[in-house]
Amino acid sequence: MHSDKEIHQGKTDYVIERTAGYSDEMMYKQCKLFYDIVFKTKKVKQGRGKNAIFVEQRMYDSDELVDRRAKESLEYYKKKMSNPSKINFREYQKRIIVEASNRILMNGFVYLTMEVRTGKTLTSLGIAELLNKKKVLFITKKKAISSIESDYDMLNPDFDLLTINYESLHKVEDRNFDLIVLDEAHSMGAFPKPSKRAKQVKDILTTSNSDVILLSGTPTPESYSQMYHQVYGIKTNPFKDYINFYKFSKRYVNVKQRKINGLYINDYHGGLQSILDEMKPHTISYSQKEAGFKVDTREHTLEVEMKPITYQLTKKLKKDLVVEGKDETILGDTPVKLMMKLHQLYSGTIKFESGNSTIIDHSKAQYIYDNFCTQKIGIFYKFKEELKALKKIYGDQLCTDLSVFEDTNKSIALQIVSGREGISLRKASALVYYNIDFSATSYWQSRDRMTTKDRLESDVYWVFARDGIEKEIYKAVTKKKDYTVNHFKKDLLSL
């Protein structure tokens, strides 16, 4: 069970529920009327003759619970009037809040596919407020929690809020929620088998019987098939008649067979357009263009000369598929392993066969520091050793916590996958990539972390090793394609 400190509380159980559409002032007047009736008095004569006096006496019998309800309700809405919401929803957000609320009332859930920086989080909280929800569970990524709780505090709604990251879902014992918000819902889209995350969310949904809001700027980044496990825990989802993905795929997926290592396996990536058609009544989409964003993201590629040791190791690994040292071994005996090891080496780090890892070349970290140390920037890295390299070069000028970044002049380092969603780096003067991810989703989402309604121009710098693998990955992801082993086999001859 979560402590009271983890739950952001709106009003107590004794406060009169807000009437739909009533402002704080209107509720205060209603509660004042109730209070005046409960505590109404009359003058009663006590004593006789000259000793008689008149005293105030309550007209109605006192009831402790009714008295407390009257007092706390009046106090609550008076306090709300003195501390109004600091949030002014944009017109398109107001429209979406009303439309989404109607869809939830009809179907029990809605999917907001709003592009980054259009305000998905605030919109979802606005929906909870309009629907007069009492207790909301908001599931997100760990790095986004502080931002969501800040939005909640500024909105100052009536409902209680528990914000938790997906990795901590096992800690949620209380299922008494009337609304659950699933942020970055596409992260539950694994198929053909559901991920641990998707199964945990389904368990919570089936035992809480709550309404649901799903949020994502990219609901199906790789395949329409990713939709099934995002919604399969919702009782009213359009695919509820299909008890598992395999049943679902018989109607909604063009299943193909692929030969891998001599074996034929089913490929379920061919999700049909009909999946989105079925979801259309439950989906509200909104783009940056519709919101009035005219984003100008300027990308710059920078080339770094790595130390001789980096090129010696990569050359030997490509030739022999193995590099044996005194205590450790680098093995690239399969195309996948070779691709991964070269990806690490060209940015100056390596993870050995033993599981140990180390930094072999600080050139990239030093280059970033030399060129950006006077600026407050966001740095994206891929591997853990890259963060260690940055910390060694930057020292105390670097942080990894968003709140520290917001409140100081320090730059921030974030892992690409964990930092690509749900956070804002609006205070960064630029984004700098120490390395690049194979995923096209990572490319498109992370590069937009600085964009806001008031800041539509940003600079993104990609730091690539001379003659390294990064530029080939960049060519693929900018075309919205993941960098795969097939790409690598074609590029290997030129590396």
Side-chain angles (χ1 to χ4, degrees):
M1 185 67 182
H2 289 269
S3 69
D4 292 338
K5 290 183 179 179
E6 291 175 300
I7 298 178
H8 288 243
Q9 194 171 62
K11 55 184 177 53
T12 69
D13 294 337
Y14 292 95
V15 174
I16 295 171
E17 291 293 335
R18 184 186 298 272
T19 303
Y22 272 40
S23 66
D24 293 331
E25 183 179 3
M26 294 166 71
M27 284 304 301
Y28 175 78
K29 289 180 178 178
Q30 288 288 96
C31 293
K32 183 67 166 65
L33 180 62
F34 175 54
Y35 180 91
D36 289 344
I37 292 172
V38 171
F39 292 98
K40 188 174 182 179
T41 61
K42 60 183 179 180
K43 289 187 176 181
V44 178
K45 184 179 180 181
Q46 289 184 352
R48 295 181 179 182
K50 294 181 179 180
N51 295 323
I53 59 172
F54 286 92
V55 296
E56 296 287 339
Q57 190 178 80
R58 289 178 63 171
M59 291 185 65
Y60 308 108
D61 292 337
S62 174
D63 182 286
E64 184 179 347
L65 293 180
V66 174
D67 288 358
R68 182 173 179 181
R69 189 171 181 82
K71 289 178 181 178
E72 292 194 10
S73 297
L74 189 66
E75 182 181 344
Y76 176 78
Y77 288 108
K78 183 179 181 180
K79 186 177 179 181
K80 291 278 288 184
M81 287 174 62
S82 64
N83 184 30
S85 171
K86 298 179 179 65
I87 299 297
N88 291 314
F89 289 106
R90 301 179 186 125
E91 289 303 315
Y92 72 83
Q93 290 175 318
K94 293 176 183 177
R95 293 194 299 271
I96 292 173
I97 287 170
V98 172
E99 184 181 349
S101 297
N102 286 332
R103 296 198 189 191
I104 289 175
L105 289 172
M106 290 188 293
N107 305 309
F109 82 101
V110 69
Y111 202 135
L112 302 185
T113 61
M114 301 169 65
E115 289 186 355
V116 291
R117 309 276 76 83
T118 55
K120 294 188 294 292
T121 300
L122 269 179
T123 302
S124 66
L125 296 179
I127 295 167
E129 187 175 40
L130 183 60
L131 290 174
N132 207 21
K133 295 300 184 182
K134 298 178 180 63
K135 194 172 182 181
V136 177
L137 175 64
F138 201 114
I139 309 173
T140 185
K141 289 198 167 186
K142 187 175 182 179
K143 290 185 182 295
I145 290 177
S146 61
S147 175
I148 292 165
E149 292 179 343
S150 176
D151 286 344
Y152 172 85
D153 291 338
M154 287 192 294
L155 183 62
N156 192 22
D158 295 334
F159 60 82
D160 297 344
L161 177 72
L162 173 60
T163 312
I164 195 168
N165 57 307
Y166 282 99
E167 291 76 16
S168 299
L169 284 177
H170 62 281
K171 298 179 182 178
V172 180
E173 297 178 6
D174 181 5
R175 303 299 169 91
N176 188 30
F177 301 99
D178 50 6
L179 177 68
I180 295 178
V181 183
L182 304 173
D183 195 17
E184 308 299 350
H186 61 268
S187 65
M188 299 183 291
F191 63 88
K193 294 182 179 180
S195 63
K196 178 182 178 181
R197 174 175 298 186
K199 288 190 284 188
Q200 287 179 320
V201 168
K202 181 182 180 181
D203 178 60
I204 292 175
L205 293 179
T206 53
T207 53
S208 67
N209 197 32
S210 61
D211 291 332
V212 182
I213 300 175
L214 301 99
L215 305 176
S216 178
T218 52
T220 52
E222 298 167 7
S223 166
Y224 295 155
S225 299
Q226 290 176 294
M227 185 60 73
Y228 179 79
H229 285 130
Q230 293 182 54
V231 300
Y232 85 134
I234 301 171
K235 294 177 181 178
T236 54
N237 85 80
F239 315 114
K240 60 183 179 297
D241 293 334
Y242 303 93
I243 60 173
N244 57 46
F245 179 85
Y246 299 102
K247 299 284 186 183
F248 161 85
S249 68
K250 290 180 180 179
R251 178 171 178 180
Y252 292 102
V253 182
N254 180 19
V255 183
K256 297 180 179 179
Q257 285 203 320
R258 294 175 57 195
K259 190 175 183 179
I260 299 180
N261 295 328
L263 298 175
Y264 285 96
I265 65 167
N266 287 335
D267 182 351
Y268 294 95
H269 280 79
L272 303 176
Q273 173 65 36
S274 55
I275 296 173
L276 297 191
D277 295 340
E278 294 281 12
M279 283 295 297
K280 192 171 183 179
H282 311 285
T283 303
I284 299 176
S285 301
Y286 208 77
S287 67
Q288 290 183 345
K289 185 177 180 180
E290 289 175 295
F293 285 42
K294 293 182 180 178
V295 180
D296 180 17
T297 303
R298 298 179 291 267
E299 297 196 42
H300 316 267
T301 55
L302 308 173
E303 192 170 88
V304 178
E305 179 73 26
M306 305 298 284
K307 290 181 179 179
I309 184 64
T310 296
Y311 295 109
Q312 292 166 12
L313 289 172
T314 54
K315 183 178 180 180
K316 182 169 178 58
L317 187 62
K318 284 184 285 186
K319 179 184 177 183
D320 300 333
L321 304 182
V322 63
V323 178
E324 293 184 285
K326 182 179 179 181
D327 300 311
E328 301 285 2
T329 301
I330 305 172
L331 191 61
D333 57 346
T334 68
V336 172
K337 290 180 72 172
L338 181 60
M339 179 175 72
M340 291 297 297
K341 298 306 178 184
L342 290 176
H343 191 200
Q344 295 167 28
L345 285 168
Y346 278 118
S347 286
T349 71
I350 190 63
K351 186 173 183 179
F352 300 109
E353 280 301 294
S354 65
N356 298 325
S357 56
T358 193
I359 304 165
I360 60 168
D361 191 341
H362 287 85
S363 296
K364 278 196 176 185
Q366 190 65 57
Y367 181 89
I368 293 171
Y369 182 81
D370 290 344
N371 287 274
F372 298 96
C373 65
T374 59
Q375 301 180 49
K376 181 184 173 82
I377 61 172
I379 307 173
F380 280 108
Y381 64 91
K382 171 70 176 174
F383 302 108
K384 291 180 180 179
E385 291 294 332
E386 295 170 357
L387 175 60
K388 291 181 181 179
L390 285 166
K391 286 182 174 180
K392 182 172 182 179
I393 300 299
Y394 263 84
D396 194 44
Q397 298 177 52
L398 188 73
C399 68
T400 57
D401 184 87
L402 191 60
S403 60
V404 176
F405 175 71
E406 292 277 349
D407 298 336
T408 68
N409 289 322
K410 294 183 179 183
S411 293
I412 188 170
L414 297 169
Q415 204 276 338
I416 295 173
V417 174
S418 63
R420 73 188 185 188
E421 301 166 335
I423 64 170
S424 173
L425 297 179
R426 61 187 180 276
K427 291 191 176 181
S429 62
L431 295 184
V432 180
Y433 283 78
Y434 189 112
N435 206 339
I436 186 169
D437 194 59
F438 295 139
S439 165
T441 301
S442 292
Y443 167 78
W444 290 102
Q445 289 189 335
S446 61
R447 68 194 281 274
D448 214 9
R449 290 300 97 194
M450 290 192 297
T451 304
T452 69
K453 180 72 174 177
D454 301 315
R455 178 181 178 172
L456 304 178
E457 296 184 355
S458 56
D459 287 289
V460 176
Y461 295 87
W462 300 88
V463 181
F464 297 157
R466 179 185 62 79
D467 297 330
I469 191 176
E470 306 99 295
K471 63 181 181 297
E472 304 302 334
I473 302 171
Y474 181 75
K475 290 176 184 177
V477 297
T478 54
K479 296 175 183 177
K480 297 189 175 182
K481 293 186 179 296
D482 292 346
Y483 189 80
T484 65
V485 174
N486 288 333
H487 288 101
F488 174 68
K489 287 179 180 177
K490 294 176 184 177
D491 296 334
L492 186 56
L493 296 175
S494 62
L495 289 176

